[in-house]
Amino acid sequence: MSRYAYVNGRYVPHGRAQVHIEDRGYQFADGIYEVVAVRHGRLVDEGPHLDRLDRSLAEMRMAAPMARAPLRHAMREVIRRNRVADGIVYMQVTRGAAPREHAFPKAAKPALVITAKRLLPKFAQMEKGVSVITLPDIRWKRRDIKTVNLTANVLAKQQAVEAGAFDAWLVDEGGMVSEGTASNAWIVTKDKELVTHTPDYRILNGITRLSVRALAETEGYRFVERPFSLAEAQAAAEAFITGTTAWVTPVIAIDKKQVGDGKPGPLTRALQRLYATYADNPA
Amino acid sequence: MSRYAYVNGRYVPHGRAQVHIEDRGYQFADGIYEVVAVRHGRLVDEGPHLDRLDRSLAEMRMAAPMARAPLRHAMREVIRRNRVADGIVYMQVTRGAAPREHAFPKAAKPALVITAKRLLPKFAQMEKGVSVITLPDIRWKRRDIKTVNLTANVLAKQQAVEAGAFDAWLVDEGGMVSEGTASNAWIVTKDKELVTHTPDYRILNGITRLSVRALAETEGYRFVERPFSLAEAQAAAEAFITGTTAWVTPVIAIDKKQVGDGKPGPLTRALQRLYATYADNPA
């Protein structure tokens, strides 16, 4: 099957989808992105993802490449042309192409790329759970903006993979776990309290994180947003991650130390089921 | 005049010089770069720049796109095709194009882009000096690698420009000045000691910084590498920056507070002359 991408106003074959070498995304990581899940042909949490895209643009002081209605249309067109029923749509907006100078260009137009690909939910991984290692969080201090400034995430993820783990949980100078390289980190304390990091400059406020939080609140689960330490995570009853493609994935070991009894915990399983139902029936 | 760029093995008109949308430089800031000055048709400090390119590649665990001899040839060919006598040559290497996954791709080939443009040394600015503001240094913790992970630098430079300053000096959590957004920061203490930050993970070890250091040592100037505070900078006798295009540029005000008597200082002037002579007669 041929794949197609949307690039600055045109639908082009994926293999020939290109941007200029002086696009500021390429030279300065001067861009932002979103990844939205497609489930049974429908977008999961489209509204919150587009709201966050707007927030990232505002924080970066970048103009939107187009209004929301045509953007939603373009997303759907890319999904349709790539015949994606289950998968993801990826959108990237950069400050555009301009002669290389650090300061914002006066005349550049924001550049927009949209791709889509098939990807089934990773049910086996969700069933079994994953292990993570921990690494120092050396990223910049505006992780709340979903920029393509992902060098540190790439290096950490690679270290995790080479260590035989699924991902790395990043630990800040104070010994607190901020998040994974592309997902939010959660624990369940021994007295059944759900804990995940405060949504400040230190983490990306994940859309799946927000949906899982809402589901937990609806169920009446006890929930608190605060930083937690690595020691607390290793001593927790349960641990899991949330993310656009990870959904709710149990974490069964941290730095090779078993979490709880080394099996996905009951509260994790309950949230996993709730989220799967939610993703299967998006609003 | 038409401009040309080298892109992955081909010399192409600048306007049509493109990279794939899944080049990891575009999606992950997974790439590094160098800017080398061209003066009177010759490359300034080519060897040290290419050594640093190799170091950046090694730290990022990226393969070199080609050996040094053909790379030097390609640089010269881009300079020649663009008829650059005075200017810069820009080289960017990324981990290459691959389906988007954070971990290193197994099969991607490093991508190489080379551009060149005419640019005269900014003699008027060097004569008059510049002012800087200060901003918190929110960048990642591996600034010693010359990556395209420049989001924070872009935002800081833009703030400086909007404040009517030439650049921002970035101040870390401990109150120490690390460097500018694209240059190294120096002060001259009241007892004529040259001070610039220790070359560790907190700064980029500038090639012009190294050449100026060598010139200062040859002249017998007192020189020390250590972090210095903002207060110390504002109380200094002189201040200046070094960089590939800035050469040695006096800093005459920091956060609107005059440095010394608000004019370029004598030691700054001496180093400026030494460096100009050096750049005019590259090894």
Side-chain angles (χ1 to χ4, degrees), chain A residues 174-221:
Chain A
M176 297 294 170
V177 174
S178 41
E179 57 186 338
T181 67
S183 58
N184 289 117
W186 299 64
I187 57 171
V188 181
T189 63
K190 292 215 157 65
D191 55 349
K192 298 193 193 316
E193 188 172 54
L194 282 158
V195 185
T196 193
H197 199 289
T198 326
D200 56 21
Y201 69 91
R202 290 173 289 184
I203 68 160
L204 183 76
N205 196 354
I207 302 302
T208 308
R209 176 189 179 283
L210 289 169
S211 293
V212 168
R213 188 182 80 168
L215 292 166
E217 281 167 356
T218 302
E219 294 295 310
Y221 296 148

Side-chain angles (χ1 to χ4, degrees), chain A residues 67-79:
Chain A
R68 188 174 288 203
L71 178 58
R72 294 182 65 202
H73 173 78
M75 289 163 70
R76 280 161 179 74
E77 186 61 19
V78 174
I79 290 166

Side-chain angles (χ1 to χ4, degrees), chain B residues 45-58:
Chain B
D45 281 336
E46 181 185 15
H49 277 286
L50 293 179
D51 290 345
R52 187 172 63 183
L53 185 82
D54 286 344
R55 179 183 183 278
S56 293
L57 290 171

Side-chain angles (χ1 to χ4, degrees), chain B residues 248-268:
Chain B
V248 174
T249 297
V251 171
I252 55 174
I254 303 172
D255 284 340
K256 300 197 171 166
K257 190 170 181 313
Q258 241 181 233
V259 178
D261 63 359
K263 294 189 187 111
L267 200 46
T268 304

